[in-house]
Amino acid sequence: MFRLLNLELQKLLLNRVSKVLIFISFILPFFIILLSSLKINVFGFFTLELGELGVFNFPIIWHLTTFFAAQFKFFFAIVVVSMIGNEYSNKTLKQNLIDGLSKKEFILSKFYTIVFFSLVSTILIGLISLCIGLYYSSYNEPSIILMETSFLLGYFAKLVGFFSLCLFFGMLVKRSAFALAFLFILFILEWIIFGLITWKFDLKLAEKIQNFFPLKSMHKLIDQPFQRIAMSKFPDNSELAYDYALHWYEIAIVLGWTALFIFLSYTLLKKRDL
């Protein structure tokens, strides 16, 4: 595993564009710290500081930071599809296979890289969240601090699943731009299917089925936290209630898609004439 991971990391670090995109991917989450210290002047009457509103209290901070950090995943998605596009354009794929690397090892090297960067990003977000929480939170009991750290697991699964999808599209079309376009097409396709099911049957059934779609299932791992913040400010308003928790079956669905994308990537490479 480490040999394959090291091989892939060397390729990425030798590519200037990949290095820049990886750097951006890991720097952008630090903007969450800037968000926590943001002060908004409301029409000159008073200054509103987000950190003083309680939104960075434990345990809600794990939900808030992982949600915002997940929005930056598209930068590393470009790196993932570029990994495949460069292999074909630079003919390094064929050279690796000639040098003795099997097709299975080739796909595994990409997957190990995805897992590695997803893990590093998860650890980084965990440390950022912990630091902001310790500074702003009104609660410092270990039981409350560690409560809902499962959102970090959801964040990790979300990255691995999304990047595995990018890997599959990269293998499918061999071109980075087309692979990213396929992500947009899949997004539109999921909503078209959702609309057709709603029209043919009913909304509740459509929503249940939609939660099994690739992109939607990844999105569901970490629901938007804004409604939850509103709930904390207006606890008596039952209309704001919604299920924001991370459930084991949601992770299972995403892991199932991840396994399928890696298998399909390997199948494509195995059957393709290089």
Side-chain angles (χ1 to χ4, degrees):
M1 180 181 74
F2 293 106
R3 177 179 65 87
L4 296 176
L5 177 60
N6 183 58
L7 175 65
E8 199 59 42
L9 290 177
Q10 287 181 13
K11 292 180 185 178
L12 290 176
L13 295 178
L14 288 174
N15 186 296
R16 182 177 299 177
V17 176
S18 295
K19 284 195 294 186
V20 171
L21 288 173
I22 291 172
F23 178 76
I24 293 175
S25 300
F26 287 122
I27 286 297
L28 282 178
F30 281 99
F31 280 93
I32 297 175
I33 299 177
L34 297 179
L35 178 67
S36 68
S37 61
L38 187 64
K39 297 181 179 180
I40 304 173
N41 188 285
V42 183
F43 304 113
F45 292 105
F46 62 93
T47 300
L48 183 66
E49 186 173 356
L50 295 179
E52 300 300 328
L53 293 177
V55 298
F56 298 113
N57 278 336
F58 291 115
I60 193 175
I61 189 172
W62 301 112
H63 186 180
L64 188 72
T65 53
T66 51
F67 174 81
F68 277 107
Q71 311 311 310
F72 303 136
K73 64 183 180 293
F74 292 100
F75 287 92
F76 191 72
I78 299 174
V79 177
V80 174
V81 296
S82 297
M83 284 194 304
I84 303 301
N86 291 337
E87 294 284 2
Y88 281 100
S89 60
N90 298 332
K91 301 187 183 302
T92 50
L93 169 56
K94 182 179 290 187
Q95 186 60 49
N96 284 336
L97 297 178
I98 293 174
D99 292 340
L101 195 70
S102 68
K103 292 183 177 180
K104 179 180 179 180
E105 288 177 324
F106 177 82
I107 294 297
L108 284 177
S109 69
K110 306 298 182 186
F111 180 65
Y112 291 154
T113 304
I114 287 173
V115 172
F116 172 76
F117 281 109
S118 299
L119 181 60
V120 172
S121 181
T122 302
I123 294 173
L124 181 62
I125 293 302
L127 291 175
I128 291 174
S129 303
L130 182 62
C131 291
I132 296 175
L134 290 174
Y135 183 81
Y136 281 107
S137 181
S138 305
Y139 311 102
N140 54 14
E141 295 86 350
S143 59
I144 297 180
I145 291 175
L146 297 177
M147 192 184 298
E148 297 189 19
T149 50
S150 58
F151 278 107
L152 291 174
L153 177 60
Y155 176 74
F156 174 74
K158 185 172 188 174
L159 293 188
V160 173
F162 183 74
F163 297 147
S164 296
L165 172 61
C166 294
L167 174 63
F168 168 64
F169 281 148
M171 290 298 304
L172 183 64
V173 298
K174 305 181 188 179
R175 294 291 185 273
S176 303
F178 292 148
L180 294 174
F182 265 57
L183 285 173
F184 179 72
I185 292 172
L186 177 61
F187 175 78
I188 298 297
L189 183 62
E190 286 189 5
W191 279 103
I192 290 176
I193 296 174
F194 171 75
L196 290 174
I197 297 174
T198 302
W199 172 70
K200 189 69 176 179
F201 299 99
D202 60 77
L203 179 61
K204 288 186 177 180
L205 177 62
E207 288 177 341
K208 290 180 179 179
I209 295 176
Q210 187 189 33
N211 289 335
F212 286 90
F213 294 166
L215 291 177
K216 182 62 176 181
S217 64
M218 295 172 197
H219 173 75
K220 280 291 294 179
L221 284 176
I222 306 176
D223 281 311
Q224 53 83 15
F226 310 112
Q227 193 171 338
R228 181 182 179 183
I229 294 173
M231 285 170 56
S232 66
K233 302 302 178 184
F234 306 99
D236 296 329
N237 191 337
S238 59
E239 294 182 359
L240 293 174
Y242 76 118
D243 184 12
Y244 57 80
L246 175 65
H247 302 284
W248 68 267
Y249 54 84
E250 293 173 332
I251 294 180
I253 293 171
V254 173
L255 291 181
W257 280 116
T258 300
L260 179 62
F261 294 143
I262 297 302
F263 173 75
L264 291 176
S265 298
Y266 171 64
T267 302
L268 278 173
L269 182 61
K270 190 176 180 181
K271 293 184 177 181
R272 186 167 286 164
D273 184 12
L274 302 176

